Amino acid sequence: MSILSPNKVLLNAKAQDKTEAIRIAGQLLVDAGHAAPGYIEKMLEREEALSTYMGGGLAIPHGTKDSKEMISSAGLSIILFPDGVDFGGDEPAHLVIGIAAAGSDHLGILTNVAMICSDEANMEQILKASSKEEIIRIFEEGMGE
């Protein structure tokens, strides 16, 4: 099972708030078989304890440390919110990336995602992407897959 796949990418999503945005990101990971349904609640717990908003229109929700046993394989969900979602940062999140990963995988994936998205050209390409495949290609190149 691939970390990235079209069934975990949404281009024109809408969410009322960050809770709904996190549920969407988590549900994609659950539906793809990366995590048990309870993982979504752990993602919401994590957000309550510490915001996963990274700045620059990016949020990277993921589970709490004690949610590792709920993860069956590493996966990313990538969601574009053209209207933005308020994550409590200085600007709305337009790109929300859900992560399901355990152990050392988690930090590596989180670091890769942050590096890819800290590049302004990448971020611009992602936000303007017209296909799921285009977004996956940007991440695969950045992750060296």
Side-chain angles (χ1 to χ4, degrees):
M1 186 182 305
S2 174
I3 289 177
L4 295 156
S5 56
N7 62 324
K8 296 186 300 269
V9 179
L10 294 176
L11 297 181
N12 290 302
K14 288 189 183 313
Q16 294 299 314
D17 53 29
K18 67 181 181 177
T19 301
E20 187 180 354
I22 292 168
R23 286 190 185 283
I24 293 168
Q27 194 62 55
L28 289 170
L29 295 168
V30 170
D31 290 348
H34 293 292
Y39 185 69
I40 298 169
E41 293 307 315
K42 293 296 185 181
M43 292 173 80
L44 291 167
E45 256 179 54
R46 172 63 177 234
E47 189 65 36
E48 280 176 32
L50 182 69
S51 175
T52 57
Y53 183 74
M54 302 289 151
L58 170 69
I60 310 178
H62 50 282
T64 55
K65 281 192 176 14
D66 66 351
S67 63
K68 287 185 194 134
E69 68 279 353
M70 295 180 180
I71 297 167
S72 50
S73 61
L76 288 181
S77 59
I78 303 170
I79 304 117
L80 294 182
F81 291 95
D83 298 336
V85 178
D86 184 4
F87 266 76
D90 52 351
E91 58 186 300
H94 291 281
L95 175 62
V96 175
I97 300 173
I99 296 181
S104 58
D105 274 358
H106 178 78
L107 204 54
I109 291 170
L110 194 57
T111 303
N112 273 330
V113 167
M115 293 292 286
I116 292 163
C117 296
S118 67
D119 182 306
E120 279 185 38
N122 281 344
M123 199 61 179
E124 200 174 307
Q125 274 187 297
I126 293 164
L127 293 175
K128 290 182 176 167
S130 57
S131 73
K132 296 177 176 193
E133 291 71 24
E134 194 178 339
I135 290 175
I136 289 170
R137 184 184 47 74
I138 295 164
F139 278 89
E140 281 178 345
E141 285 172 7
M143 296 174 95
E145 288 209 359

